[in-house]
Amino acid sequence: LHMFQPDIMYKLEKEFGADVREIRKYRTPASPGFAVRRPTADESLISAVMQKRFRMAVGLMLFLVKFSRPDISNSVRELAKVNDGATNENFKQMLRAVRFVLDTCKKVLRFKPKTDKRNDEIWAIYGYCDSNFAGDKDTRLSVSGFCVFVMGCLVSWKSRGQKNVTLSSTEAEYVAISELCAELLFVRMILIFLGKKINYPIIVQCDNIGEIFLSNNTKNSNRTKHVDIRAHFVRQYVEDGIIKINFVRSTDNKADTFTKNVSGKIFNKHATKNLVNTNGK
């Protein structure tokens, strides 16, 4: 439980409690498949007062995402795209996210390492990555999502739009896997600095055959030359035995909830698995 989480919950309840009590409970922080679109010139925006409240809610939830609530990462990232001009529909989605956060205010990130009784000095690192190809309906930028585990504990996560437009789902996935590998190597450096023994290779789980092929194949076709630099970055560590890339089915990819708003069934399978109920303690 992050030390500031109770303060944020209090602020959300004080500012939006009366509003969210008028809507029903939801199993997810956003409607499945919902993606925020920036308003067009002929669409009416909410008032300046409502926009200020919108930014306040998104800002508070972003703080939660950073420290203790990875489950709302994608929904809050989507809402943040219209911090400068939201519509009534965006405001309703914001209230839904706030309602979900308040209903699950006792949920916190679980940090309970899984150790091997035979050798608990070896630290296992692994991660999952995914992308939503051309997920931004306005710019057609793809969305990257990843999560990093150390000894079974979720320690790092990310949901963010990619900086450049990708030309294929494989390229979008490769951008995501290169971002995950950079994060894994950073976590690895921290553990090495602390004098910890690391279990090699570091396992990366992804659900795209194309990116696995690029990671292990030294030859690129004309269609994949534009991802050559990222391919060499990842492949270098694969060849050195530091990283190993495995295939995982999309239904079992824990990074899926960081790239899109999913159904309640998928959300409960992945997003809430690393959270526990504090029961007010």
Side-chain angles (χ1 to χ4, degrees):
L1 178 63
H2 189 263
M3 67 177 68
F4 297 118
Q5 181 163 315
D7 294 336
I8 295 176
M9 295 300 180
Y10 172 77
K11 291 178 182 178
L12 286 173
E13 173 65 36
K14 180 180 179 181
E15 184 66 27
F16 303 99
D19 295 322
V20 300
R21 277 193 290 270
E22 298 178 358
I23 61 178
R24 67 181 181 88
K25 290 186 177 181
Y26 292 95
R27 297 174 63 190
T28 61
S31 303
F34 175 79
V36 172
R37 299 200 67 162
R38 294 168 183 81
T40 58
D42 58 344
E43 285 186 278
S44 59
L45 303 179
I46 56 178
S47 66
V49 174
M50 292 178 67
Q51 187 67 52
K52 183 178 179 180
R53 298 184 68 212
F54 183 91
R55 285 194 296 268
M56 176 189 294
V58 172
L60 291 171
M61 289 190 290
L62 280 172
F63 197 90
L64 288 176
V65 168
K66 182 177 181 180
F67 291 103
S68 60
R69 292 299 299 267
D71 56 325
I72 61 173
S73 296
N74 185 73
S75 56
V76 178
R77 178 193 58 78
E78 285 282 337
L79 293 171
K81 293 193 296 185
V82 289
N83 263 343
D84 58 341
T87 62
N88 284 319
E89 178 62 24
N90 300 146
F91 195 84
K92 290 178 182 178
Q93 287 292 327
M94 178 274 289
L95 290 179
R96 170 174 174 150
V98 172
R99 175 67 195 253
F100 177 83
V101 169
L102 291 178
D103 287 340
T104 58
C105 63
K106 295 179 182 178
K107 293 283 187 180
V108 295
L109 189 63
R110 177 175 58 189
F111 195 79
K112 186 178 181 181
K114 298 177 182 178
T115 59
D116 186 343
K117 293 182 179 179
R118 294 169 298 178
N119 190 353
D120 58 3
E121 293 299 320
I122 297 179
W123 291 58
I125 312 171
Y126 59 93
Y128 294 80
C129 68
D130 192 22
S131 74
N132 184 9
F133 176 54
D136 191 313
K137 304 301 181 183
D138 297 303
T139 63
R140 285 303 176 185
L141 290 170
S142 300
V143 178
S144 292
F146 66 74
C147 48
V148 176
F149 293 81
V150 175
M151 296 185 74
C153 298
L154 179 61
V155 299
S156 178
W157 55 90
K158 186 70 68 176
S159 173
R160 66 182 174 194
Q162 297 179 1
K163 296 181 179 180
N164 300 303
V165 177
T166 51
L167 303 179
S168 66
S169 59
T170 296
E171 182 182 356
E173 293 280 358
Y174 218 90
V175 171
I177 200 173
S178 63
E179 293 175 350
L180 169 60
C181 288
E183 185 72 9
L184 287 169
L185 294 172
F186 173 71
V187 173
R188 168 178 170 263
M189 288 174 60
I190 293 177
L191 294 179
I192 291 175
F193 176 78
L194 295 175
K196 303 299 181 181
K197 293 182 179 179
I198 300 172
N199 187 31
Y200 292 106
I202 298 171
I203 302 299
V204 171
Q205 308 268 27
C206 64
D207 56 13
N208 186 279
I209 296 295
E211 62 180 318
I212 297 177
F213 175 78
L214 286 175
S215 302
N216 295 282
N217 186 18
T218 57
K219 295 182 180 180
N220 288 339
S221 69
N222 290 332
R223 294 184 178 182
T224 58
K225 279 186 177 180
H226 53 285
V227 294
D228 197 38
I229 295 177
R230 291 185 183 275
H232 278 84
F233 167 72
V234 176
R235 192 181 301 132
Q236 173 187 342
Y237 293 100
V238 172
E239 292 177 351
D240 291 343
I242 296 176
I243 289 174
K244 181 180 179 181
I245 302 175
N246 290 342
F247 176 79
V248 63
R249 294 183 303 174
S250 295
T251 53
D252 297 325
N253 192 343
K254 298 181 184 298
D256 192 39
T257 57
F258 292 93
T259 61
K260 60 186 74 70
N261 292 319
V262 298
S263 65
K265 181 179 179 180
I266 298 176
F267 186 84
N268 289 331
K269 181 179 180 180
H270 297 309
T272 60
K273 191 173 182 180
N274 297 288
L275 300 175
V276 293
N277 198 323
T278 61
N279 294 319
K281 298 181 181 179

